[in-house]
Amino acid sequence: MNEFGDINIEALKNNPEFLANIKRLEEECKKEESIAKGYQLLDAQLLLEAPEDKINEIFTFIVNHAFDRLSEYLVEKKSFDMTNAEELATARAIYEHGIQRYSENDKKGAKEIFLVLHHTINHDELKDAMMIHACVVMAGKTFDEFIETVVDTEGVDVNDPLAFFIQTFTQPNDILLTMFANYVKQGKEELQVLEK
């Protein structure tokens, strides 16, 4: 049994209806510039064990469109509505890029992404979680230290549409934000440039 349950991958690779649906999804994704559909396409291609260049092409599409949309939102002073599937997918893509930067030890890039997400996400708990991410980076913790000492991996609700974002920690958010008060202040000062 694979991670997708009892799905027969080999049968899907030869199923004309399934392949036609993927082709249609790919066309819709590009035509609508939909990041949410980009993720659906990515999941389908991963399921089919598509070549790495195909996966990278979809991932590049997702990230590029997400950052284009982020730029528009910053200019328009709009927030990401986490109840809207497309906006959630956009924030997810930016977040995953931030996590990638952090895991590759690009602390400056990761911190900036987490702060911008804190600034642009319209969801209080998630805003706090993004500030905690930024504070942990500013405190000098490595990505592995963050996962091992700050994140509560047991508390994740896999059915939560926001489960792609790390938001369960070993301490309650308010306690962590108090512990990191100096970094919170620093982060908010850095964000003032976006308020202008």
Side-chain angles (χ1 to χ4, degrees):
M1 190 159 121
N2 58 41
E3 67 179 286
F4 299 100
D6 290 324
I7 296 171
N8 183 333
I9 310 255
E10 291 309 312
L12 282 179
K13 287 179 182 177
N14 299 309
N15 181 320
E17 187 180 345
F18 182 75
L19 296 174
N21 285 340
I22 287 183
K23 187 77 184 142
R24 192 189 75 245
L25 181 62
E26 190 169 0
E27 288 164 4
E28 287 174 4
C29 171
K30 287 179 179 163
K31 185 175 159 214
E32 299 167 20
E33 296 186 347
S34 170
I35 296 165
K37 287 186 177 178
Y39 270 116
Q40 291 173 0
L41 184 61
L42 183 65
D43 288 344
Q45 294 292 7
L46 287 168
L47 181 67
L48 291 176
E49 299 163 341
E52 191 175 332
D53 58 336
K54 182 76 175 168
I55 302 296
N56 288 340
E57 179 188 326
I58 299 166
F59 196 71
T60 300
F61 166 88
I62 289 170
V63 171
N64 288 347
H65 280 77
F67 276 93
D68 288 348
R69 201 162 295 153
L70 173 63
S71 296
E72 290 168 21
Y73 277 44
L74 288 171
V75 168
E76 296 167 11
K77 299 199 181 318
K78 279 180 68 178
S79 296
F80 290 115
D81 176 357
M82 295 293 99
T83 62
N84 175 301
E86 190 63 30
E87 294 188 21
L88 171 59
T90 304
R92 171 187 169 187
I94 295 162
Y95 174 72
E96 287 176 349
H97 187 73
I99 287 291
Q100 181 184 351
R101 298 261 54 84
Y102 192 13
S103 69
E104 293 170 356
N105 208 30
D106 174 7
K107 290 184 178 161
K108 181 179 185 295
K111 176 193 75 171
E112 289 169 357
I113 289 172
F114 298 142
L115 285 174
V116 165
L117 283 170
H118 165 79
H119 178 76
T120 53
I121 287 177
N122 186 0
H123 186 284
D124 290 341
E125 289 88 23
L126 210 46
K127 280 176 98 63
D128 286 349
M130 292 304 102
M131 182 57 82
I132 290 166
H133 280 62
C135 291
V136 170
V137 174
M138 286 188 265
K141 287 193 181 293
T142 65
F143 178 73
D144 289 340
E145 289 170 333
F146 170 59
I147 298 298
E148 290 163 16
T149 63
V150 181
V151 176
D152 173 14
T153 52
E154 305 295 312
V156 178
D157 175 4
V158 294
N159 298 315
D160 180 353
L162 301 176
F164 295 107
F165 300 88
I166 295 172
Q167 52 188 323
T168 53
F169 303 103
T170 53
Q171 300 279 338
N173 288 2
D174 56 341
I175 290 175
L176 284 171
L177 291 169
T178 302
M179 285 168 50
F180 288 127
N182 289 339
Y183 295 120
V184 171
K185 182 173 180 281
Q186 182 185 330
K188 290 192 171 173
E189 284 168 5
E190 289 182 34
L191 284 169
Q192 282 177 349
V193 70
L194 298 176
E195 305 289 346
K196 293 174 184 166

